[in-house]
Amino acid sequence: RAFAVRAIVCLVYSWLHSRSGRSSQMKPFSLVRSAFVASSSILSSRHARAPSKIAMSGIPELCVFDLDACLWDKEMYEMTAMPTTKVMGDLNGRGEGVVGVMSGRDQISLHEGSLIALQEHADGKYPGMKVALASSADTPFAEKVGRASLQMLEVVPGMTIWDLLMRDWDGEDVNQIGRQPPLSSNKARSHFPRLREVTDIRYDRMLFFDDCNWGDHCGMVAAGCREEDSGLGVATLRTPRGLGKKEWREGLAVYKDHAKQFA
């Protein structure tokens, strides 16, 4: 790569020198600087536009889930207590595990499509894809309830949602949960720019699911989080009734169509 950069610099330098003519007052240093600027622009442009093999395969590099009324069936701001009691049951034919947690009298459980999505991801069905969360939990307590639930609910026996998230990111918490500063209620202005920064995954390589019952987060993220070079943003799907099996499949199809624009 270093050799290629030097070669490009030399070529651009030669071109600029030939353009300058004998009467030009441009100094050698200025020519070299201009060559570096031009070659850097060429390289960065090519690097930014080149779609990855994952992207070209129609699989998102990052799949982002909202939590409340999307990934699971409850709103955390309505919960009255930290979850402590586990509800055991069948994990989609994969054995017995934690299918629910109790917050007071309320049971928090994953939607059908959420469990399928996380199980398929755990099985490696979508090579190269990672998952993360973007939730604007209303209060610090709601965030605590949500995080506790993530560490209790299981995807397959012995693996919690949190275990799966940590597996993807080598133990680093990249998830954006809550609306306390530096986060806000606007995911397009806070959650996704932070995800873009900490994951180093482009907006146009992301797929986002959100119920959008309290605001059009999908619309705001799709419009506000775009890449300059491609003009493309985050692929999104609204799940007003929660993430069902149908919605999960539809979201993957939406991203596959989105990825066709990379060609």
Side-chain angles (χ1 to χ4, degrees):
R1 181 179 297 177
F3 176 80
V5 170
R6 286 195 295 269
I8 293 175
V9 169
C10 290
L11 288 172
V12 176
Y13 177 87
S14 299
W15 178 78
L16 287 171
H17 190 272
S18 65
R19 296 267 299 188
S20 64
R22 293 183 179 180
S23 61
S24 173
Q25 299 301 312
M26 182 176 283
K27 297 180 180 180
F29 174 76
S30 297
L31 284 171
V32 172
R33 182 176 59 185
S34 298
F36 268 108
V37 170
S39 59
S40 297
S41 177
I42 293 170
L43 287 173
S44 62
S45 176
R46 288 182 178 179
H47 174 72
R49 292 176 181 274
S52 66
K53 292 182 179 180
I54 303 170
M56 292 301 291
S57 69
I59 297 173
E61 292 184 25
L62 181 63
C63 187
V64 185
F65 300 98
D66 172 43
L67 288 176
D68 297 358
C70 179
L71 193 73
W72 52 43
D73 56 1
K74 293 293 189 295
E75 297 276 3
M76 295 301 98
Y77 78 91
E78 296 179 339
M79 300 299 99
T80 59
M82 291 293 291
T84 54
T85 304
K86 299 177 180 179
V87 179
M88 306 301 291
D90 177 63
L91 286 170
N92 196 28
R94 303 290 291 272
E96 185 178 61
V98 183
V99 298
V101 294
M102 300 302 298
S103 171
R105 296 182 178 180
D106 294 301
Q107 178 175 324
I108 304 167
S109 298
L110 291 175
H111 281 293
E112 179 189 16
S114 304
L115 181 57
I116 291 173
L118 294 176
Q119 286 182 337
E120 290 181 348
H121 176 55
D123 292 341
K125 186 173 180 178
Y126 309 104
M129 186 182 84
K130 296 184 177 183
V131 298
L133 307 172
S135 168
S136 54
D138 295 66
T139 65
F141 181 72
E143 179 184 344
K144 289 180 180 179
V145 173
R147 287 184 175 276
S149 300
L150 290 169
Q151 295 182 48
M152 296 170 69
L153 290 167
E154 291 185 328
V155 177
V156 292
M159 175 186 283
T160 66
I161 301 172
W162 193 253
D163 291 336
L164 182 57
L165 291 166
M166 292 300 98
R167 187 189 77 175
D168 274 7
W169 303 103
D170 297 324
E172 180 183 359
D173 181 8
V174 304
N175 305 286
Q176 308 300 315
I177 303 174
R179 57 179 65 187
Q180 308 306 310
L183 298 179
S184 69
S185 60
N186 189 325
K187 297 178 183 181
R189 292 184 179 178
S190 56
H191 295 62
F192 273 83
R194 287 177 62 82
L195 278 174
R196 175 71 168 85
E197 180 181 359
V198 299
T199 66
D200 197 31
I201 295 176
R202 293 165 55 93
Y203 290 132
D204 54 14
R205 310 297 197 253
M206 298 182 186
L207 171 62
F208 175 44
F209 294 90
D210 194 295
D211 63 281
C212 296
N213 289 325
W214 300 99
D216 188 9
H217 292 295
C218 283
M220 290 188 288
V221 168
C225 300
R226 293 178 175 273
E227 295 294 335
E228 291 186 7
D229 60 340
S230 69
L232 299 175
V234 180
T236 66
L237 187 79
R238 297 170 180 81
T239 61
R241 298 179 181 82
L243 184 55
K245 181 178 180 180
K246 176 184 177 182
E247 287 77 14
W248 170 238
R249 302 294 181 222
E250 184 179 349
L252 293 174
V254 165
Y255 184 83
K256 190 171 184 178
D257 286 340
H258 172 80
K260 291 178 182 177
Q261 301 176 77
F262 300 154

